Amino acid sequence: MSRLLTGLTVGLLSAAASGQAVAADWGVQQEPMFKPAYPVDMMPYEDSLDFEAGLRYFYGMGGQRATISGQNYTADDASHFVEVHGKIDDSSTNTYVQGNLGYAAMIDNTYQTPTSGGAQTSTAGAIAYGGADFGYLPVNTEGLAFGGFVGYQYLNESAYMGRSQFLMASGGGNSEPNSLEVHGFRLGATARADINDVFDVRVDAAAIPYASLSGTYGAFDLASLDPSLTQGNAPQISGHLYGGALEAMVGFKPHENFAIRAGVRGYYLTGPTETYFEARDTGDPTQSQGFTSQGTMELFRWGPVIELTGTF
């Protein structure tokens, strides 16, 4: 019984001592058992990426001037393009990527070839373009930015210019229209100006030091060179072009996430070409002889642009 009383006495004295210690520290904040990984008043992370996307209408007046075996092939068109475009700006690195893709919904073309019998008109064919740029803005203030970019340019300049008949190895006849594609390298400078968060001006100027031309030049007719020869294939053309491009736009922002822009753009390419065609033996169509002709090509297009763009 004395042992039990002794144990109760010790327990009561210990509890009293601990109570006095807690009372002495009352009103003092105790260290939390688990500390937060980050300060609770830390500001939220600010995203450095800005996005743009929208539609453009481009009234492109363009054409081509080809010389093959000393003969001239010309085309001039006024075409209505629908274009989609997008852009991503990274303010943390002062870089951006942008791209666009356009297609001619309507073509009004006038062409003339050595065998066309004068100027002819057509609404057929295909004209399209696309590209992508990566840019860097070493000068990037709140209202003004300057920099440079490198990029890729794609062109499909295949307005209809007639299609010459050729004899196949099987003995049957065939024909193909023009189908010209260009893959080019862009190296340029860019400038932007923002005025009172309501207006903006954007200018892109690019040199195109190299562009590869390839495809079918179905408008070529071997009979224009020698009526005694029978054409044996759809002529294939290739070339190395060079030139430049320019685009200037002025924008109005009725809302912080919406912009209306208008401006002008254009490009010009020229350079040497090589055209391969065959003459086929009408008595034995399996027999043919190939020829290569040197020539030149000019491609150009310019016109006004209207843009509707959303930002987010």
Side-chain angles (χ1 to χ4, degrees), residues 9-86:
T9 302
V10 172
L12 290 173
L13 291 175
S14 298
S18 62
Q20 291 176 355
V22 171
D25 294 335
W26 184 86
V28 179
Q29 184 177 359
Q30 302 297 313
E31 288 291 329
M33 182 176 297
F34 298 103
K35 295 183 179 181
Y38 301 98
V40 295
D41 60 346
M42 183 181 68
M43 295 297 293
Y45 175 73
E46 183 176 353
D47 192 352
S48 64
L49 299 181
D50 295 316
F51 298 86
E52 286 188 6
L55 295 174
R56 291 177 180 147
Y57 165 74
F58 174 41
Y59 180 67
M61 295 167 282
Q64 60 176 269
R65 306 286 185 266
T67 300
I68 303 175
S69 297
Q71 296 187 319
N72 297 323
Y73 297 76
T74 65
D76 294 281
D77 72 88
S79 301
H80 303 266
F81 293 84
V82 177
E83 176 183 331
V84 295
H85 72 96

Side-chain angles (χ1 to χ4, degrees), residues 40-179:
V40 295
D41 60 346
M42 183 181 68
M43 295 297 293
Y45 175 73
E46 183 176 353
D47 192 352
S48 64
L49 299 181
D50 295 316
F51 298 86
E52 286 188 6
L55 295 174
R56 291 177 180 147
Y57 165 74
F58 174 41
Y59 180 67
M61 295 167 282
Q64 60 176 269
R65 306 286 185 266
T67 300
I68 303 175
S69 297
Q71 296 187 319
N72 297 323
Y73 297 76
T74 65
D76 294 281
D77 72 88
S79 301
H80 303 266
F81 293 84
V82 177
E83 176 183 331
V84 295
H85 72 96
K87 186 175 185 179
I88 303 174
D89 278 295
D90 185 353
S91 59
S92 67
T93 60
N94 289 334
T95 60
Y96 67 89
V97 292
Q98 64 182 9
N100 67 335
L101 182 63
Y103 184 79
M106 295 178 60
I107 300 173
D108 184 8
N109 181 44
T110 300
Y111 68 90
Q112 186 167 349
T113 72
T115 57
S116 65
Q120 304 293 327
T121 61
S122 173
T123 59
I127 307 176
Y129 57 85
D133 298 325
F134 173 78
Y136 173 57
L137 302 170
V139 177
N140 191 8
T141 64
E142 184 175 348
L144 194 63
F146 294 96
F149 63 87
V150 294
Y152 163 76
Q153 180 71 61
Y154 168 79
L155 301 172
N156 185 329
E157 290 285 354
S158 304
Y160 183 80
M161 296 178 62
R163 47 198 298 169
S164 59
Q165 296 288 324
F166 60 89
L167 181 65
M168 299 185 296
S170 63
N174 201 352
S175 66
E176 294 184 16
N178 281 8
S179 180

Side-chain angles (χ1 to χ4, degrees), residues 46 49 54 63 70 105 119-120 137 153 189-190 202 211 217 221 234 240-241 253 256 266 273 283 295:
E46 183 176 353
L49 299 181
Q120 304 293 327
L137 302 170
Q153 180 71 61
T190 184
R202 300 182 178 185
Y217 208 80
D221 193 341
H240 303 298
L241 310 182
K253 300 177 181 178
E256 63 178 353
T273 62

